[in-house]
């Protein structure tokens, strides 16, 4: 998968993954507060933030595997930094990355419109929720509560991963730091038109 990647793409993906591993750990604290206030659904309110690197990396690099690899590396770094979940978190990261990657694959990695980015965030939501249902015992909860959790996570994936990821990436492109990447070139074309 990485055979056709340039060194700068691997470096940018790695840097993004490390930065967001730290962000993910910080948001875990907010998730704990929301859990204390609202119960398990509290995490779902901000769950989309834990998919954001897959959207950003894919939107910037635009190559097969960017979403999956960035989320997997971020989860690995997060475990090394001390996330209490441990190595199981790496599997969760892989599954979240696969959810976004599946959406980009459906477009043959050619469409990075706002709607596709939001759908990729929702793809991560669906995959992560299915995994969470399997490992976290959601079946013991009332069907109505589980349904509410699922829909809240879908919205969070669309907004926090998809939309916020798009705007953060475009903000970075405006600095000129991404001029050698597809998103940076696209931004330069739009500015000169």
């Amino acid at each position: 998968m990485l055979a056709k990647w340039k060194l700068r793409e691997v470096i940018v993906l790695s840097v993004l993954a490390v930065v967001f591993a730290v962000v993910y750990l910080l948001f875990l604290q907010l998730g704990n507060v929301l859990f204390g206030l609202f119960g398990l659904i509290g995490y779902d309110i901000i769950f989309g933030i834990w998919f954001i690197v897959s959207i950003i990396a894919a939107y910037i690099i635009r190559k097969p595997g960017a979403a999956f690899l960035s989320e997997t590396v971020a989860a690995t770094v997060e475990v090394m930094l001390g996330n209490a979940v441990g190595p199981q978190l790496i599997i969760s990261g892989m599954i979240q990355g696969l959810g976004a990657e599946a959406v980009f694959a459906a477009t043959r990695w050619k469409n990075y419109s706002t709607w596709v980015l939001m759908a990729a965030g929702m793809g991560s939501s669906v995959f992560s929720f299915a995994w969470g249902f399997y490992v976290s015992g959601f079946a013991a909860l009332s069907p109505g509560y589980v349904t509410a959790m699922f829909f809240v996570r879908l919205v969070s994936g669309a907004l926090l991963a998809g939309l916020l990821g798009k705007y953060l990436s475009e903000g970075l492109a405006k600095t000129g730091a991404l001029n050698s990447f597809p998103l940076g070139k696209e931004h330069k074309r739009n500015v000169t038109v």
Side-chain angles (χ1 to χ4, degrees), residues 2 15 28 32 36-39 49 67 72-73 76 89 94 113-114 135 139 146 162 164-165 180 186:
L2 289 176
V15 168
L28 184 59
N32 291 338
L37 293 172
F38 303 112
I49 205 69
T72 302
V73 172
T76 303
L89 184 67
M94 294 169 73
S113 68
T114 302
V135 297
V146 172
L164 182 59
S180 63
E186 186 178 278

Side-chain angles (χ1 to χ4, degrees), residues 3-175:
K4 296 180 181 178
W5 284 49
K6 296 178 178 132
L7 180 60
R8 71 174 183 264
E9 294 166 337
V10 173
I11 291 170
V12 165
L13 183 137
S14 300
V15 168
L16 287 169
V18 169
V19 166
F20 280 95
V22 173
V23 169
Y24 292 173
L25 274 174
L26 294 174
F27 266 83
L28 184 59
Q29 303 313 312
L30 176 59
N32 291 338
V33 170
L34 292 172
F35 172 76
L37 293 172
F38 303 112
L40 197 53
I41 201 169
Y43 287 113
D44 292 300
I45 295 168
I46 61 165
F47 222 94
I49 205 69
W50 289 300
F51 316 141
I52 197 168
V53 75
S54 62
I55 306 304
I56 292 173
Y59 191 35
I60 291 170
I61 297 168
R62 300 187 184 189
K63 285 198 172 171
F68 173 76
L69 290 171
S70 62
E71 202 64 57
T72 302
V73 172
T76 303
V77 171
E78 190 179 352
V79 168
M80 291 190 296
L81 292 174
N83 186 302
V85 173
Q88 182 177 332
L89 184 67
I90 298 169
I91 296 169
S92 295
M94 294 169 73
I95 290 167
Q96 292 166 6
L98 282 172
E101 196 72 47
V103 173
F104 295 121
T107 72
R108 304 182 132 203
W109 296 275
K110 294 183 192 293
N111 186 342
Y112 293 88
S113 68
T114 302
W115 295 111
V116 170
L117 297 175
M118 291 173 70
M122 292 172 79
S124 290
S125 295
V126 170
F127 277 50
S128 71
F129 197 84
W131 172 247
F133 192 90
Y134 173 71
V135 297
S136 299
F138 293 173
L141 302 171
S142 76
Y145 191 74
V146 172
T147 302
M149 288 171 57
F150 177 70
F151 282 109
V152 169
R153 189 175 302 191
L154 277 177
V155 171
S156 182
L159 299 180
L160 291 181
L163 270 185
L164 182 59
K166 173 185 171 35
Y167 291 118
L168 290 176
S169 301
E170 290 174 353
L172 189 57
K174 288 177 185 176
T175 69

